[in-house]
Amino acid sequence: MGKQNTTGTTGTTGRTAAGAVAGVVAGLVLGGFAGGAALAAAGTGAALGPEADKTYKPLPSTIVSVTGDKANGFEIRRYDGSEQFPPTDSEARAECNEYDTEVARVRCRSEVRTWYRDLAEIKRAINYARSQAEGS
């Protein structure tokens, strides 16, 4: 269900959707903030003096692009060139339905909804930051 790239298998299979969702959300939030800081720093270099003339280089794990949607799947690209392809909404829902108890299924589905909501917000934030950088 995950796609293969040069850095290894990404995405989730089996009963790991909820765990993968929680782990990646934390990375997305931190990476999104670092990416926004990189774009902001690029626009303020002249005002900070000679030290600011150095080009900012973000952490390799910084998210630089989020494309797609929950129905067709997202693609997450990082500064180091790696990519991640979380499962589509229907794949994640199917994996959540495999849990034995109702409580576990509900927990998994709520984590998946949060995951896709956060991906959409990060996508909008990156697009906004890019539009502000282009306008300055």
Side-chain angles (χ1 to χ4, degrees):
M1 292 190 207
K3 295 184 181 177
Q4 187 79 6
N5 67 19
T6 58
T7 59
T9 301
T10 57
T12 59
T13 58
R15 295 180 183 218
T16 60
V21 166
V24 177
V25 166
L28 288 173
V29 171
L30 292 175
F33 288 134
L39 290 171
T44 59
L48 298 176
E51 296 255 342
D53 289 340
K54 298 177 186 173
T55 303
Y56 175 80
K57 186 174 180 181
L59 295 173
S61 61
T62 301
I63 295 172
V64 296
S65 172
V66 176
T67 57
D69 58 28
K70 70 180 185 176
N72 300 308
F74 283 98
E75 176 184 17
I76 304 163
R77 292 180 187 241
R78 299 187 182 275
Y79 183 76
D80 65 2
S82 64
E83 298 172 326
Q84 190 173 15
F85 302 89
T88 64
D89 188 41
S90 60
E91 290 172 335
R93 243 182 294 125
E95 290 174 14
C96 288
N97 289 335
E98 293 178 8
Y99 283 96
D100 295 329
T101 65
E102 181 66 23
V103 171
R105 287 189 295 271
V106 169
R107 181 183 307 126
C108 179
R109 286 191 293 258
S110 67
E111 288 175 353
V112 168
R113 278 193 303 271
T114 302
W115 161 240
Y116 289 117
R117 181 202 66 205
D118 291 346
L119 276 172
E121 286 182 19
I122 290 169
K123 181 179 171 182
R124 284 191 298 271
I126 290 171
N127 290 340
Y128 175 75
R130 285 190 175 144
S131 72
Q132 292 299 305
E134 290 171 2
S136 25

